[in-house]
Amino acid sequence: MSAPPPGRVASLARRLPPAARAAAARLPGALAPPIEPGRSTPRVAIIGSGFGGIGMACRLRQAGIDTFTIYEKADAVGGTWRDNTYPGAACDVPSHLYSLSFAPKTDWTRKFPEQPEILGYLNEVTDRFGLRSHLRLGTELKAATWDEDGACWRLELADGTTDEADVLVAATGQLNRPHIPDIAGLDEFDGPMFHSARWDHAEDLTGRDVAVIGIGASAIQFVPEVAKTSGRLTLFQRSSNFVAPKPDGEFSPAVRERFRRHPLLQRLYRLSIWVRFDLRWLMFRKSSRLARLGEKRFAAKLGQVVNDDLPAEALLPDYPLGCKRILISNDWYPTLFRPNVEVVTAPVERITPNGVVANGVEHPADAIIFGTGFASTGFLAPIRITGRGGRDLHAEWKDGAEAHLGITVAGFPNLFVLYGPNTNLGHNSIIFMLERQIAYALTWIRRLVEEDWAAIEVSEPAQAASNERLRRHLERTVWAASCHSWYKTASGKITNNWSGPTVAYWWRTRRPDPAEFVTTSSPSRHPVHSGAEGSSE
């Protein structure tokens, strides 16, 4: 199925009087009709082909903008769902909510999607919207520099070539660079050693002694699978997790057929999931009664099974519920009680040629798997981004990344970040957040066309006010507690999570405020400024 053409919507838009057409074009995001054929549109460079990059490209096509290129350093689309192929890889958000609202999939086979089906969905959407011709696979962006005279981004690619774009959309995500801690003896180990996001499928772990370092969201999924066939599995965990039951199961053929025949039913089902999940935000407020009830329930259930082999510190978290990501699994706790599984809570000291040493004891291992997560707070790294006046983005972010609503950054014109600073969630679907960011960016990209602007950037006062408000709200959340998590920098600054329910993010992003931005007209027109220096309206 090809991408939905502008079709009747575009035809109707062309028949509108000029004033009505201009008013319709100013509607936010994808609500506006497609841009009239023949109009010049900006060159858009999209970096990354995960959900963010693919979603942005789809919306550009629907808006009548075909002048875009998706730069992907790997040889296929899919982002994190291309990279994470470990046994048991799946999503902890229900299938119908973990998909693009404008590209529904009615035949999900399970309530919670597994990695192959998610990757298949992303490839299907790529084909449905005709994006293959816009892809540059195996093309890594090394640097992007804003050219003030040319009002464009100069792109430096890893193969030594260069390119240009009027608009830069960074869709690299937060969880794309695997993190392996700097452990003494890391280079001395004699056996295979790899990160869960770079799974070595050539290694058969059957009957072998396996050491797993780290127990994040990935380890919760692959450890039970590896434990089924390995010899001895030794799990080194810095702290324990809150692991809730996973209400998973297959959709029957009859249910899938009902969703196919009644699209409204599928949309209502999706909406019901979003509403139920957003109500979970109540648990993430500081000193939440709901969270305390949850903690007591975990303590009561797990306290019954504490023993010498699995002491309290191996099972019961020592931090508030929600301070770290709440995980879901039906086979995690049963796995910990398997006779071939050992949990070590002492810190890892070093790695030897034959195993891992913790608390002075060497634990033999034939293979080591790292479930130690990602370098999540280094947004857009290692790409060098240079903005207006030579401003270095990573230098600007040395004390922790900040952006206006996680999308735009002062001093970096025509740059839009998807899944940027403070847009992660602990309770709902990231796809919802991505769609809000895509709509926000698309609104400004359309305005570049409709208003004949060359550049748009958020003002520094607007960004500062936005982040001060964010900081105050984050102080009222459970993430402000003292636990260590990938949501925060080493100094404790919360750089990854949004500060409220997703409905609040929807409200803040529903219509960009021109008063918060500075715009520059095309060279043929006089510069136009908004914000403190006057409105561009």
Side-chain angles (χ1 to χ4, degrees):
M1 181 178 178
S2 60
R8 287 173 294 180
V9 176
S11 177
L12 177 62
R14 285 194 293 271
R15 292 198 295 270
L16 290 172
R21 189 166 59 244
R26 297 167 76 86
L27 289 169
L31 293 177
I35 291 170
E36 294 178 83
R39 294 206 63 170
S40 177
T41 56
R43 300 163 297 177
V44 182
I46 302 171
I47 313 304
S49 67
F51 266 101
I54 295 299
M56 185 79 243
C58 292
R59 283 308 207 188
L60 286 170
R61 288 221 65 194
Q62 289 180 326
I65 300 174
D66 284 320
T67 49
F68 64 88
T69 302
I70 307 171
Y71 298 85
E72 171 54 61
K73 66 181 180 181
D75 60 359
V77 304
T80 189
W81 298 107
R82 175 201 58 236
D83 295 341
N84 287 268
T85 60
Y86 56 81
C91 185
D92 57 6
V93 173
S95 305
H96 288 272
L97 189 57
Y98 199 78
S99 48
L100 297 164
S101 65
F102 55 85
K105 174 180 168 65
T106 59
D107 60 347
W108 288 106
T109 61
R110 302 192 66 84
K111 293 181 180 178
F112 289 82
E114 297 178 342
Q115 180 268 338
E117 194 166 14
I118 301 172
L119 184 58
Y121 168 75
L122 284 169
N123 274 282
E124 187 272 326
V125 170
T126 299
D127 293 330
R128 190 195 311 183
F129 284 80
L131 305 181
R132 297 286 176 188
S133 61
H134 294 269
L135 281 167
R136 285 189 60 178
L137 300 175
T139 305
E140 181 178 1
L141 179 67
K142 288 184 61 180
T145 303
W146 176 251
D147 181 336
E148 296 192 41
D149 294 330
C152 67
W153 286 97
R154 307 290 183 185
L155 311 180
E156 298 177 37
L157 306 174
D159 61 6
T161 61
T162 60
D163 212 339
E164 294 180 3
D166 301 304
V167 175
L168 182 63
V169 178
T172 54
Q174 296 186 10
L175 306 176
N176 62 85
R177 293 186 300 128
H179 169 68
I180 294 180
D182 186 16
I183 302 173
L186 200 60
D187 297 330
E188 299 177 10
F189 187 64
D190 285 339
M193 183 171 58
F194 51 86
H195 190 278
S196 61
R198 300 293 183 268
W199 197 271
D200 189 347
H201 292 277
E203 291 294 338
D204 183 2
L205 302 177
T206 302
R208 303 170 78 175
D209 292 340
V210 178
V212 175
I213 299 177
I215 58 161
S218 298
I220 289 292
Q221 295 178 342
F222 74 74
V223 165
E225 297 299 317
V226 173
K228 292 175 184 177
T229 60
S230 64
R232 185 157 191 82
L233 190 150
T234 307
L235 183 60
F236 297 87
Q237 62 176 48
R238 181 169 51 187
S239 63
S240 56
N241 292 305
F242 286 104
V243 184
K246 185 176 184 178
D248 198 9
E250 293 184 357
F251 285 114
S252 69
V255 169
R256 298 202 296 270
E257 177 62 15
R258 280 198 292 272
F259 283 145
R260 186 190 69 80
R261 295 180 61 185
H262 307 287
L264 179 59
L265 179 63
Q266 189 265 353
R267 289 185 176 277
L268 289 173
Y269 177 65
R270 174 189 172 94
L271 177 63
S272 72
I273 300 171
W274 174 73
V275 171
R276 285 186 285 114
F277 273 48
D278 225 33
L279 289 173
R280 295 183 180 186
W281 165 252
L282 298 173
M283 288 194 303
F284 294 88
R285 297 182 303 177
K286 184 180 289 186
S287 302
S288 163
R289 288 186 179 183
L290 189 61
R292 287 200 296 270
L293 288 173
E295 292 167 15
K296 290 179 180 178
R297 185 174 181 182
F298 269 101
K301 291 287 186 181
L302 295 178
Q304 298 174 8
V305 295
V306 167
N307 57 38
D308 292 341
D309 293 329
L310 280 172
E313 59 266 27
L315 294 173
L316 299 173
D318 59 357
Y319 52 84
L321 179 67
C323 189
K324 292 187 179 184
R325 184 174 177 178
I326 300 173
L327 307 176
I328 57 174
S329 173
N330 294 328
D331 50 11
W332 176 249
Y333 292 121
T335 296
L336 299 186
F337 286 95
R338 290 179 63 98
N340 66 326
V341 173
E342 178 184 3
V343 178
V344 177
T345 58
V348 171
E349 297 170 3
R350 66 182 186 278
I351 293 175
T352 69
N354 302 308
V356 179
V357 177
N359 198 29
V361 178
E362 182 179 36
H363 300 265
D366 302 314
I368 297 176
I369 305 171
F370 289 94
T372 44
F374 301 84
S376 58
T377 58
F379 294 86
L380 274 66
I383 305 171
R384 299 191 310 276
I385 307 290
T386 306
R388 191 184 297 280
R391 296 172 70 163
D392 181 279
L393 183 62
H394 297 297
E396 300 275 321
W397 285 352
K398 66 181 187 303
D399 296 324
E402 291 185 355
H404 177 56
L405 300 174
I407 308 170
T408 55
V409 185
F412 295 82
N414 293 5
L415 170 66
F416 300 97
V417 184
L418 305 182
Y419 198 15
N422 296 108
T423 62
N424 184 62
L425 301 171
H427 70 290
N428 213 321
S429 175
I430 296 302
I431 309 305
F432 178 89
M433 301 291 279
L434 282 172
E435 288 203 45
R436 296 308 314 143
Q437 294 150 26
I438 289 167
Y440 193 94
L442 182 60
T443 299
W444 283 122
I445 294 172
R446 291 183 61 101
R447 294 291 293 275
L448 291 175
V449 177
E450 301 293 342
E451 305 291 348
D452 196 24
W453 291 336
I456 177 77
E457 67 178 280
V458 67
S459 71
E460 293 198 23
Q463 179 174 306
S466 173
N467 280 284
E468 174 58 24
R469 175 179 179 175
L470 178 75
R471 184 193 63 78
R472 293 196 308 269
H473 288 186
L474 285 170
E475 286 179 351
R476 306 169 195 165
T477 69
V478 68
W479 305 308
S482 59
C483 75
H484 173 85
S485 78
W486 63 266
Y487 303 150
K488 300 185 281 191
T489 64
S491 66
K493 181 177 179 178
I494 305 169
T495 57
N496 291 68
N497 282 11
W498 173 240
S499 59
T502 62
V503 69
Y505 192 75
W506 168 81
W507 182 256
R508 293 290 307 280
T509 58
R510 74 194 187 284
R511 186 184 297 274
D513 183 357
E516 296 178 332
F517 286 79
V518 178
T519 61
T520 306
S521 69
S522 293
S524 60
R525 299 176 62 183
H526 297 293
V528 180
H529 298 281
S530 56
E533 299 178 348
S535 174
S536 63
E537 290 294 286

